[in-house]
């Protein structure tokens, strides 16, 4: 499934000069957790999340920046003191297109700990919509029994005995444990299971009986 099938076509975006209070008002009015910052050509250049805005409240009393502060701490302090979207936003903006696979979009959100992604036109770079965690969750809400049946089907296609495997499924993550015949089968199985619709990621805990990938020592 592609992002274009689940994304929203409403864009809540602001310009770099948008003030702090205007950003707060926009988040409240449209009930979103992030705002995309776009330039004069409607290209995303950054994102302002509710966490970015809350830094103003959590920053320690507006103390000055110390040379002993970490880079991350200095960035947070700078954001807390910012008054416009340009000063508060996180850059660069992580973007996707309508043709991005839902699984890939979900992995990006998980990897970068963000709640939504701007969707851009692949040819122009213009923002065309947004996709949120709630949009993606529609795809990952599948019965565990249904996913397990598809995993078994994949095993049969790869000539792997599914009775030797234990398949754990939780929150869209599949855990594979057990023993299969050959080491080379593991990578193929994990890749095939990861491609099943409704699966966010695969945790591999498989073992093997024979290592068919071990180098053959040269004859003397």
């Amino acid at each position: 499934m592609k992002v274009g099938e689940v994304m929203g076509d409403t864009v809540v975006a602001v310009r770099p000069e948008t003030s702090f209070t205007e950003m707060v008002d926009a988040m409240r009015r449209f009930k979103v957790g992030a705002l995309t910052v776009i330039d004069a050509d409607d290209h995303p250049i950054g994102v302002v999340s509710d966490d970015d805005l809350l830094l103003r409240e959590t920053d320690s009393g507006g103390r000055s920046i110390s040379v002993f502060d970490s880079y991350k701490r200095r960035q947070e302090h700078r954001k807390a003191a910012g008054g416009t979207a340009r000063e508060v936003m996180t850059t660069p903006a992580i973007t996707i297109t309508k043709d991005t696979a839902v699984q890939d979009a979900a992995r990006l959100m998980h990897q970068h700990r963000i709640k939504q992604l701007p969707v851009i036109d692949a040819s122009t770079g213009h923002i065309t919509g947004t996709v949120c965690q709630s949009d993606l969750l529609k795809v990952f809400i599948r019965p565990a029994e249904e996913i397990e049946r598809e995993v078994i089907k994949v095993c049969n296609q790869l000539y792997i005995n599914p009775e030797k495997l234990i398949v754990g499924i939780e929150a869209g993550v599949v855990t594979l444990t057990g023993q299969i015949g050959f080491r080379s089968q593991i990578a193929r199985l994990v890749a095939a299971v990861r491609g099943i619709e409704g699966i966010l990621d695969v945790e591999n805990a498989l073992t093997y009986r024979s290592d068919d990938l071990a180098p053959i020592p040269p004859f003397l």
Side-chain angles (χ1 to χ4, degrees):
M1 184 173 288
K2 305 296 185 183
V3 166
E5 300 175 61
V6 299
M7 62 177 277
D9 55 6
T10 300
V11 179
V12 183
V14 295
R15 299 294 184 186
E17 62 274 11
T18 302
S19 70
F20 186 94
T21 54
E22 288 173 325
M23 289 187 288
V24 172
D25 180 64
M27 285 190 182
R28 288 177 175 172
R29 192 185 336 149
F30 296 102
K31 298 179 180 179
V32 294
L35 302 168
T36 302
V37 185
I38 56 176
D39 62 17
D41 297 318
D42 293 341
H43 296 153
I45 58 174
V47 174
V48 176
S49 69
D50 48 8
D51 289 336
D52 292 328
L53 299 183
L54 285 172
L55 281 174
R56 175 169 291 193
E57 296 298 325
T58 59
D59 194 62
S60 56
R63 72 170 178 82
S64 60
I65 300 176
S66 168
V67 293
F68 299 105
D69 286 335
S70 65
Y71 174 78
K72 180 179 178 182
R73 181 68 189 88
R74 291 197 299 271
Q75 289 291 94
E76 289 178 347
H77 188 86
R78 178 186 59 80
K79 287 185 178 184
T84 65
R86 186 189 305 278
E87 297 167 330
V88 174
M89 68 182 182
T90 299
T91 59
I94 300 170
T95 61
I96 54 176
T97 70
K98 290 183 178 181
D99 291 327
T100 301
V102 166
Q103 287 95 335
D104 292 337
R107 290 188 191 108
L108 277 174
M109 286 188 183
H110 178 72
Q111 179 183 354
H112 296 280
R113 298 182 180 181
I114 50 182
K115 301 172 184 178
Q116 69 181 51
L117 290 167
V119 182
I120 62 171
D121 183 277
S123 58
T124 66
H126 294 168
I127 188 168
T128 60
T130 56
V131 65
C132 305
Q133 286 179 330
S134 58
D135 297 325
L136 301 183
L137 286 175
K138 299 172 186 175
V139 178
F140 294 104
I141 300 175
R142 294 186 65 190
E145 297 80 7
E146 185 178 320
I147 294 178
E148 186 172 359
R149 284 196 297 269
E150 292 205 36
V151 173
I152 292 173
K153 182 179 178 180
V154 165
C155 288
N156 291 330
Q157 291 172 342
L158 296 175
Y159 302 102
I160 295 172
N161 185 359
E163 295 181 1
K164 300 293 185 179
L165 302 183
I166 299 174
V167 181
I169 303 169
E170 184 178 356
V173 176
V174 172
T175 302
L176 299 174
T177 56
Q179 188 179 71
I180 62 178
F182 300 97
R183 180 183 175 187
S184 62
Q185 292 176 306
I186 293 179
R188 293 198 295 270
L189 177 59
V190 170
V193 172
R194 187 174 280 124
I196 295 174
E197 188 171 290
I199 291 179
L200 174 58
D201 205 354
V202 178
E203 294 185 355
N204 171 28
L206 294 168
T207 60
Y208 51 87
R209 292 192 303 274
S210 301
D211 188 356
D212 56 340
L213 298 179
I216 301 175
F219 292 103
L220 299 178

